[in-house]
Amino acid sequence: MKILIKNGNIVTQNKKREVFLKTDLLIENDRIKEIKKNIREKAKKIIDADGKVVLPGLINTHTHLAMTLLRGYADDLSLEEWWFKKIYPAEKKFKRKDVYLGSLLGLLELIKSGTTFFVDFYYFEDEVAKAVKEAKIRANLGIGILDFKTFAFKNVEEILKEAERIIKERRNELIDFSLAPHMFQTTSIETYQKAKELAKKYELILQTHLSETEAEVKYSLRKYKKRPVEVLKERKILDEKTLLIHCCHLNKKEIEILAEKKANVSHCPISNLKLVSGIMPLKEMLEKKIIVGLGTDGPCSNNTLDLFQEMKFCSLIHKIKNNNPEFPSAQQVLDLSTINGAKILDKENEIGSLEVGKKADLIILNFKQPHLQPYYNIVSHLIYSAKGSDVETVIVNGKIIMENKKILTLDEEKIIFETNKLIKGRIK
């Protein structure tokens, strides 16, 4: 099938970061065939993008999708109290079907706010995969691993056995998996090593929360006599297929190690602010050429999955942290949510920018609105003025999955009804 997008303002995110005004983009099957003015080729579907902005689909490098079920359940608490005393006890009531339904709800939000690829981190990831398959977007689904019994698994051996089954049965063009040791306080370094061995066997990413709080760093120093990054280096966990989430409390030596090992990082600024975890050293990481992506974290610690909101917060907090209005630039922040995410997932030759030959993963925003007029600099507006609700059209792998703000792959009204029915009386 051919889709022709006419007269759009195209933010390519290519190596030159070119923006083409009043330009056409032609999709054939799952790939971008042509980008130029006045394309004459006939297409089955024509989208008028006059006054609108076309850009690569956003890539969310850290979520806990099914935790939509706990949105607003436990706010205004420290991370340790929030997770150990409120969230995990509530999660223990979850069943397989709950994770599936919560994932569907999260997918509605991701699609409606322009995310076309997300990295998850949870339990029953085969249920998440089932929901993702219906939504028809891209995902890397992290299979959560802890040393103690969870609502999903009895022990590490059961988790790893189930992980291998899921990986073999569920991988496809749009869905991949990763191994996800939870964090230092809940997962031993020996378990990290077992997860890394399995990740290497299937050439998967290993992702983990790391140095999110000062308490976690102190725990590592007590138990291992080293800081978290040093421990992972010593145990040969760090490499280009490692994704470290949060990294709020790193020293200069740890940043040097991450650069040396080519490890990747997911930055979740709103969650880190809300839980008062800290602010990651983004400037220092980027100066060392560490690839950093942007994540929302879960919907009960953010409390949304809107990457446009995340981008604005990211820019503002680092300007004040560095006492520098020039860092980060709007362009640098947009990179975090597009091409950097693709690099972290080893997909930069396929997605993350709009270029001929790449996969057709893109979104269209309606700029004909008061809060987006006039526009002197489109990229600036994307970071400082745009909202997830400005997204009108979403295309993944050459297929339209949302048009005129209506999701075509999922039943939004039914999912919202079933979610509220599920939680009624379940969680107090």
Side-chain angles (χ1 to χ4, degrees):
M1 177 179 172
K2 290 182 182 178
I3 301 171
L4 179 57
I5 300 170
K6 296 287 292 181
N7 297 315
N9 298 311
I10 299 176
V11 179
T12 66
Q13 285 298 93
N14 63 15
K15 288 181 180 179
K16 294 181 180 180
R17 302 300 191 263
E18 292 174 297
V19 176
F20 301 131
L21 303 180
K22 292 282 187 178
T23 299
D24 301 347
L25 185 149
L26 179 65
I27 298 167
E28 185 170 22
N29 297 323
D30 62 343
R31 295 190 181 268
I32 298 170
K33 184 180 180 182
E34 204 169 7
I35 301 175
K36 69 176 188 180
K37 292 182 182 294
N38 300 315
I39 294 175
R40 301 295 183 185
E41 195 162 344
K42 290 183 178 180
K44 185 174 182 179
K45 177 73 176 179
I46 297 176
I47 298 173
D48 181 6
D50 183 42
K52 300 178 183 181
V53 171
V54 184
L55 69 151
L58 303 183
I59 300 173
N60 187 335
T61 54
H62 184 58
T63 67
H64 304 284
L65 199 60
M67 293 178 83
T68 50
L69 298 178
L70 295 172
R71 190 197 315 268
Y73 171 69
D75 288 332
D76 306 325
L77 300 170
S78 69
L79 175 63
E80 284 75 18
E81 187 176 1
W82 173 82
W83 194 75
F84 286 105
K85 293 185 178 180
K86 296 291 291 185
I87 296 301
Y88 189 70
E91 283 181 317
K92 287 197 290 188
K93 300 176 182 179
F94 285 179
K95 299 177 175 60
R96 276 186 165 273
K97 64 180 182 179
D98 303 344
V99 171
Y100 166 69
L101 186 56
S103 298
L104 286 173
L105 181 63
L107 286 162
L108 290 175
E109 187 178 0
L110 288 175
I111 295 168
K112 289 176 82 73
S113 56
T115 291
T116 58
F117 196 155
F118 73 100
V119 181
D120 200 42
F121 188 137
Y122 209 57
Y123 318 99
F124 294 138
E125 286 292 344
D126 50 344
E127 295 295 327
V128 184
K130 179 182 171 185
V132 172
K133 185 177 180 181
E134 293 176 26
K136 293 182 170 56
I137 74 170
R138 296 186 195 275
N140 183 294
L141 306 179
I143 300 166
I145 301 170
L146 295 83
D147 276 333
F148 57 83
K149 182 180 177 182
T150 70
F151 68 87
F153 301 108
K154 295 177 183 177
N155 52 49
V156 171
E157 288 68 29
E158 185 181 344
I159 296 171
L160 294 175
K161 183 178 179 181
E162 181 68 0
E164 195 155 15
R165 179 192 69 79
I166 293 170
I167 292 162
K168 288 178 179 178
E169 293 180 3
R170 295 282 187 166
R171 290 177 93 176
N172 59 48
E173 184 182 8
L174 296 181
I175 301 172
D176 205 352
F177 294 89
S178 50
L179 279 299
H182 185 245
M183 64 178 178
F184 269 37
Q185 292 103 313
T186 61
T187 313
S188 69
I189 196 62
E190 291 76 22
T191 297
Y192 271 83
Q193 288 176 297
K194 291 177 183 178
K196 187 64 177 180
E197 288 173 12
L198 189 58
K200 284 183 175 180
K201 179 178 178 180
Y202 291 99
E203 298 182 334
L204 304 178
I205 289 170
L206 180 141
Q207 56 163 313
T208 186
H209 302 106
L210 197 80
S211 298
E212 184 175 0
T213 63
E214 289 181 338
E216 182 184 339
V217 176
K218 290 176 181 177
Y219 176 89
S220 179
L221 288 168
R222 285 197 307 271
K223 184 169 184 177
Y224 301 112
K225 313 303 179 189
K226 290 182 173 65
R227 295 175 67 88
V229 171
E230 295 173 306
V231 176
L232 293 185
K233 179 188 176 183
E234 181 180 75
R235 299 302 181 99
K236 296 181 169 47
I237 304 294
L238 297 178
D239 56 30
E240 69 281 357
K241 293 187 80 66
T242 307
L243 175 57
L244 306 175
I245 303 144
H246 301 305
C247 294
C248 297
H249 300 278
L250 302 183
N251 62 20
K252 185 176 179 180
K253 180 181 177 182
E254 288 178 293
I255 293 171
E256 294 279 0
I257 291 171
L258 295 186
E260 172 199 342
K261 295 298 181 181
K262 295 182 168 52
N264 305 300
V265 173
S266 177
H267 181 25
C268 305
I270 294 178
S271 175
N272 295 156
L273 289 174
K274 184 166 181 274
L275 294 171
V276 196
S277 299
I279 302 174
M280 72 172 301
L282 178 64
K283 189 172 188 292
E284 293 81 356
M285 288 188 182
L286 295 184
E287 287 174 346
K288 291 296 181 181
K289 309 299 182 187
I290 294 168
I291 300 173
V292 180
L294 203 61
T296 56
D297 208 349
C300 65
S301 66
N302 182 306
N303 293 22
T304 80
L305 297 170
D306 184 350
L307 272 178
F308 283 97
Q309 187 181 73
E310 205 75 33
M311 287 192 284
K312 184 171 183 176
F313 268 80
C314 176
S315 176
L316 299 182
I317 66 170
H318 288 288
K319 288 181 189 299
I320 196 70
K321 179 179 187 291
N322 291 282
N323 193 30
N324 182 357
E326 297 179 7
F327 177 85
S329 68
Q331 183 61 68
Q332 285 175 305
V333 176
L334 185 60
D335 289 353
L336 300 186
S337 295
T338 54
I339 194 65
N340 279 21
K343 289 177 180 177
I344 287 170
L345 296 159
D346 196 24
K347 301 284 187 183
E348 70 269 29
N349 293 326
E350 294 285 304
I351 60 172
S353 63
L354 302 182
E355 302 179 67
V356 172
K358 280 197 168 187
K359 293 282 190 178
D361 286 17
L362 57 87
I363 60 177
I364 303 174
L365 279 74
N366 180 7
F367 260 47
K368 295 185 286 188
Q369 303 184 76
H371 66 281
L372 293 168
Q373 294 289 327
Y375 50 89
Y376 302 103
N377 183 319
I378 290 173
V379 172
S380 173
H381 269 19
L382 288 172
I383 304 306
Y384 301 119
S385 302
K387 307 170 185 177
S389 56
D390 296 325
V391 177
E392 279 192 345
T393 302
V394 177
I395 298 175
V396 179
N397 211 34
K399 295 180 174 61
I400 300 172
I401 63 170
M402 184 172 82
E403 186 172 19
N404 297 322
K405 296 192 174 185
K406 180 175 174 56
I407 295 178
L408 307 179
T409 53
L410 300 173
D411 186 335
E412 182 174 352
E413 186 176 332
K414 180 181 178 183
I415 291 167
I416 292 172
F417 174 81
E418 292 294 337
T419 299
N420 283 287
K421 180 180 176 183
L422 170 71
I423 64 170
K424 189 175 181 180
R426 175 80 70 83
I427 300 168
K428 298 179 181 179

